[in-house]
mmCIF file with all atom_site columns, all heavy atoms in Angstrom:
data_model
loop_
_atom_site.group_PDB
_atom_site.id
_atom_site.type_symbol
_atom_site.label_atom_id
_atom_site.label_alt_id
_atom_site.label_comp_id
_atom_site.label_asym_id
_atom_site.label_entity_id
_atom_site.label_seq_id
_atom_site.pdbx_PDB_ins_code
_atom_site.Cartn_x
_atom_site.Cartn_y
_atom_site.Cartn_z
_atom_site.occupancy
_atom_site.B_iso_or_equiv
_atom_site.pdbx_formal_charge
_atom_site.auth_seq_id
_atom_site.auth_comp_id
_atom_site.auth_asym_id
_atom_site.auth_atom_id
_atom_site.pdbx_PDB_model_num
ATOM 1  N N   . THR A 1 6  ? -79.743 166.864 -11.988 1.00 0.00 ? 172 THR A N   1
ATOM 2  C CA  . THR A 1 6  ? -79.309 168.103 -11.349 1.00 0.00 ? 172 THR A CA  1
ATOM 3  C C   . THR A 1 6  ? -80.239 169.253 -11.700 1.00 0.00 ? 172 THR A C   1
ATOM 4  O O   . THR A 1 6  ? -80.600 170.053 -10.830 1.00 0.00 ? 172 THR A O   1
ATOM 5  C CB  . THR A 1 6  ? -77.862 168.449 -11.753 1.00 0.00 ? 172 THR A CB  1
ATOM 6  O OG1 . THR A 1 6  ? -77.014 167.361 -11.413 1.00 0.00 ? 172 THR A OG1 1
ATOM 7  C CG2 . THR A 1 6  ? -77.379 169.701 -11.050 1.00 0.00 ? 172 THR A CG2 1
ATOM 8  N N   . GLY A 1 7  ? -80.648 169.352 -12.955 1.00 0.00 ? 173 GLY A N   1
ATOM 9  C CA  . GLY A 1 7  ? -81.580 170.403 -13.362 1.00 0.00 ? 173 GLY A CA  1
ATOM 10 C C   . GLY A 1 7  ? -82.886 170.322 -12.588 1.00 0.00 ? 173 GLY A C   1
ATOM 11 O O   . GLY A 1 7  ? -83.435 171.332 -12.147 1.00 0.00 ? 173 GLY A O   1
ATOM 12 N N   . PHE A 1 8  ? -83.382 169.111 -12.405 1.00 0.00 ? 174 PHE A N   1
ATOM 13 C CA  . PHE A 1 8  ? -84.604 168.903 -11.630 1.00 0.00 ? 174 PHE A CA  1
ATOM 14 C C   . PHE A 1 8  ? -84.396 169.354 -10.184 1.00 0.00 ? 174 PHE A C   1
ATOM 15 O O   . PHE A 1 8  ? -85.231 170.061 -9.614  1.00 0.00 ? 174 PHE A O   1
ATOM 16 C CB  . PHE A 1 8  ? -85.006 167.417 -11.677 1.00 0.00 ? 174 PHE A CB  1
ATOM 17 C CG  . PHE A 1 8  ? -86.169 167.074 -10.809 1.00 0.00 ? 174 PHE A CG  1
ATOM 18 C CD1 . PHE A 1 8  ? -87.462 167.373 -11.210 1.00 0.00 ? 174 PHE A CD1 1
ATOM 19 C CD2 . PHE A 1 8  ? -85.984 166.470 -9.579  1.00 0.00 ? 174 PHE A CD2 1
ATOM 20 C CE1 . PHE A 1 8  ? -88.554 167.070 -10.410 1.00 0.00 ? 174 PHE A CE1 1
ATOM 21 C CE2 . PHE A 1 8  ? -87.057 166.153 -8.769  1.00 0.00 ? 174 PHE A CE2 1
ATOM 22 C CZ  . PHE A 1 8  ? -88.346 166.454 -9.185  1.00 0.00 ? 174 PHE A CZ  1
ATOM 23 N N   . LEU A 1 9  ? -83.257 168.967 -9.588  1.00 0.00 ? 175 LEU A N   1
ATOM 24 C CA  . LEU A 1 9  ? -82.962 169.354 -8.205  1.00 0.00 ? 175 LEU A CA  1
ATOM 25 C C   . LEU A 1 9  ? -82.807 170.866 -8.062  1.00 0.00 ? 175 LEU A C   1
ATOM 26 O O   . LEU A 1 9  ? -83.267 171.454 -7.083  1.00 0.00 ? 175 LEU A O   1
ATOM 27 C CB  . LEU A 1 9  ? -81.707 168.643 -7.701  1.00 0.00 ? 175 LEU A CB  1
ATOM 28 C CG  . LEU A 1 9  ? -81.823 167.140 -7.503  1.00 0.00 ? 175 LEU A CG  1
ATOM 29 C CD1 . LEU A 1 9  ? -80.456 166.534 -7.181  1.00 0.00 ? 175 LEU A CD1 1
ATOM 30 C CD2 . LEU A 1 9  ? -82.827 166.811 -6.417  1.00 0.00 ? 175 LEU A CD2 1
ATOM 31 N N   . VAL A 1 10 ? -82.161 171.496 -9.035  1.00 0.00 ? 176 VAL A N   1
ATOM 32 C CA  . VAL A 1 10 ? -81.986 172.953 -9.004  1.00 0.00 ? 176 VAL A CA  1
ATOM 33 C C   . VAL A 1 10 ? -83.350 173.639 -9.010  1.00 0.00 ? 176 VAL A C   1
ATOM 34 O O   . VAL A 1 10 ? -83.569 174.601 -8.276  1.00 0.00 ? 176 VAL A O   1
ATOM 35 C CB  . VAL A 1 10 ? -81.109 173.424 -10.192 1.00 0.00 ? 176 VAL A CB  1
ATOM 36 C CG1 . VAL A 1 10 ? -81.210 174.924 -10.400 1.00 0.00 ? 176 VAL A CG1 1
ATOM 37 C CG2 . VAL A 1 10 ? -79.663 173.016 -9.979  1.00 0.00 ? 176 VAL A CG2 1
ATOM 38 N N   . ASP A 1 11 ? -84.271 173.127 -9.813  1.00 0.00 ? 177 ASP A N   1
ATOM 39 C CA  . ASP A 1 11 ? -85.612 173.712 -9.863  1.00 0.00 ? 177 ASP A CA  1
ATOM 40 C C   . ASP A 1 11 ? -86.423 173.413 -8.604  1.00 0.00 ? 177 ASP A C   1
ATOM 41 O O   . ASP A 1 11 ? -87.201 174.247 -8.155  1.00 0.00 ? 177 ASP A O   1
ATOM 42 C CB  . ASP A 1 11 ? -86.380 173.201 -11.088 1.00 0.00 ? 177 ASP A CB  1
ATOM 43 C CG  . ASP A 1 11 ? -85.895 173.833 -12.377 1.00 0.00 ? 177 ASP A CG  1
ATOM 44 O OD1 . ASP A 1 11 ? -85.257 174.906 -12.313 1.00 0.00 ? 177 ASP A OD1 1
ATOM 45 O OD2 . ASP A 1 11 ? -86.146 173.252 -13.447 1.00 0.00 ? 177 ASP A OD2 1
ATOM 46 N N   . LYS A 1 12 ? -86.261 172.233 -8.042  1.00 0.00 ? 178 LYS A N   1
ATOM 47 C CA  . LYS A 1 12 ? -87.094 171.837 -6.898  1.00 0.00 ? 178 LYS A CA  1
ATOM 48 C C   . LYS A 1 12 ? -86.576 172.341 -5.550  1.00 0.00 ? 178 LYS A C   1
ATOM 49 O O   . LYS A 1 12 ? -87.353 172.803 -4.724  1.00 0.00 ? 178 LYS A O   1
ATOM 50 C CB  . LYS A 1 12 ? -87.244 170.307 -6.834  1.00 0.00 ? 178 LYS A CB  1
ATOM 51 C CG  . LYS A 1 12 ? -88.080 169.761 -7.943  1.00 0.00 ? 178 LYS A CG  1
ATOM 52 C CD  . LYS A 1 12 ? -89.477 170.335 -7.890  1.00 0.00 ? 178 LYS A CD  1
ATOM 53 C CE  . LYS A 1 12 ? -90.289 169.892 -9.094  1.00 0.00 ? 178 LYS A CE  1
ATOM 54 N NZ  . LYS A 1 12 ? -91.558 170.568 -9.206  1.00 0.00 ? 178 LYS A NZ  1
ATOM 55 N N   . ILE A 1 13 ? -85.266 172.220 -5.313  1.00 0.00 ? 179 ILE A N   1
ATOM 56 C CA  . ILE A 1 13 ? -84.771 172.624 -3.979  1.00 0.00 ? 179 ILE A CA  1
ATOM 57 C C   . ILE A 1 13 ? -84.042 173.960 -3.994  1.00 0.00 ? 179 ILE A C   1
ATOM 58 O O   . ILE A 1 13 ? -83.732 174.492 -2.945  1.00 0.00 ? 179 ILE A O   1
ATOM 59 C CB  . ILE A 1 13 ? -83.904 171.535 -3.320  1.00 0.00 ? 179 ILE A CB  1
ATOM 60 C CG1 . ILE A 1 13 ? -82.620 171.271 -4.093  1.00 0.00 ? 179 ILE A CG1 1
ATOM 61 C CG2 . ILE A 1 13 ? -84.688 170.264 -3.144  1.00 0.00 ? 179 ILE A CG2 1
ATOM 62 C CD1 . ILE A 1 13 ? -81.695 170.303 -3.399  1.00 0.00 ? 179 ILE A CD1 1
ATOM 63 N N   . GLY A 1 14 ? -83.758 174.471 -5.184  1.00 0.00 ? 180 GLY A N   1
ATOM 64 C CA  . GLY A 1 14 ? -83.225 175.824 -5.271  1.00 0.00 ? 180 GLY A CA  1
ATOM 65 C C   . GLY A 1 14 ? -81.795 175.914 -5.755  1.00 0.00 ? 180 GLY A C   1
ATOM 66 O O   . GLY A 1 14 ? -80.993 175.005 -5.585  1.00 0.00 ? 180 GLY A O   1
ATOM 67 N N   . ARG A 1 15 ? -81.525 177.065 -6.366  1.00 0.00 ? 181 ARG A N   1
ATOM 68 C CA  . ARG A 1 15 ? -80.201 177.321 -6.938  1.00 0.00 ? 181 ARG A CA  1
ATOM 69 C C   . ARG A 1 15 ? -79.128 177.429 -5.863  1.00 0.00 ? 181 ARG A C   1
ATOM 70 O O   . ARG A 1 15 ? -78.047 176.865 -5.982  1.00 0.00 ? 181 ARG A O   1
ATOM 71 C CB  . ARG A 1 15 ? -80.214 178.620 -7.748  1.00 0.00 ? 181 ARG A CB  1
ATOM 72 C CG  . ARG A 1 15 ? -80.834 178.478 -9.113  1.00 0.00 ? 181 ARG A CG  1
ATOM 73 C CD  . ARG A 1 15 ? -82.299 178.905 -9.081  1.00 0.00 ? 181 ARG A CD  1
ATOM 74 N NE  . ARG A 1 15 ? -82.817 179.130 -10.415 1.00 0.00 ? 181 ARG A NE  1
ATOM 75 C CZ  . ARG A 1 15 ? -83.556 178.245 -11.076 1.00 0.00 ? 181 ARG A CZ  1
ATOM 76 N NH1 . ARG A 1 15 ? -83.833 177.077 -10.553 1.00 0.00 ? 181 ARG A NH1 1
ATOM 77 N NH2 . ARG A 1 15 ? -84.015 178.534 -12.281 1.00 0.00 ? 181 ARG A NH2 1
ATOM 78 N N   . ALA A 1 16 ? -79.428 178.163 -4.805  1.00 0.00 ? 182 ALA A N   1
ATOM 79 C CA  . ALA A 1 16 ? -78.441 178.379 -3.743  1.00 0.00 ? 182 ALA A CA  1
ATOM 80 C C   . ALA A 1 16 ? -78.101 177.065 -3.046  1.00 0.00 ? 182 ALA A C   1
ATOM 81 O O   . ALA A 1 16 ? -76.927 176.790 -2.766  1.00 0.00 ? 182 ALA A O   1
ATOM 82 C CB  . ALA A 1 16 ? -78.956 179.399 -2.740  1.00 0.00 ? 182 ALA A CB  1
ATOM 83 N N   . VAL A 1 17 ? -79.099 176.259 -2.771  1.00 0.00 ? 183 VAL A N   1
ATOM 84 C CA  . VAL A 1 17 ? -78.858 174.975 -2.098  1.00 0.00 ? 183 VAL A CA  1
ATOM 85 C C   . VAL A 1 17 ? -77.957 174.096 -2.957  1.00 0.00 ? 183 VAL A C   1
ATOM 86 O O   . VAL A 1 17 ? -77.008 173.477 -2.460  1.00 0.00 ? 183 VAL A O   1
ATOM 87 C CB  . VAL A 1 17 ? -80.192 174.262 -1.789  1.00 0.00 ? 183 VAL A CB  1
ATOM 88 C CG1 . VAL A 1 17 ? -79.952 172.858 -1.273  1.00 0.00 ? 183 VAL A CG1 1
ATOM 89 C CG2 . VAL A 1 17 ? -81.009 175.068 -0.785  1.00 0.00 ? 183 VAL A CG2 1
#
Side-chain angles (χ1 to χ4, degrees):
T172 303
F174 174 78
L175 292 172
V176 165
D177 285 340
K178 290 299 174 189
I179 64 175
R181 282 96 164 100
V183 172

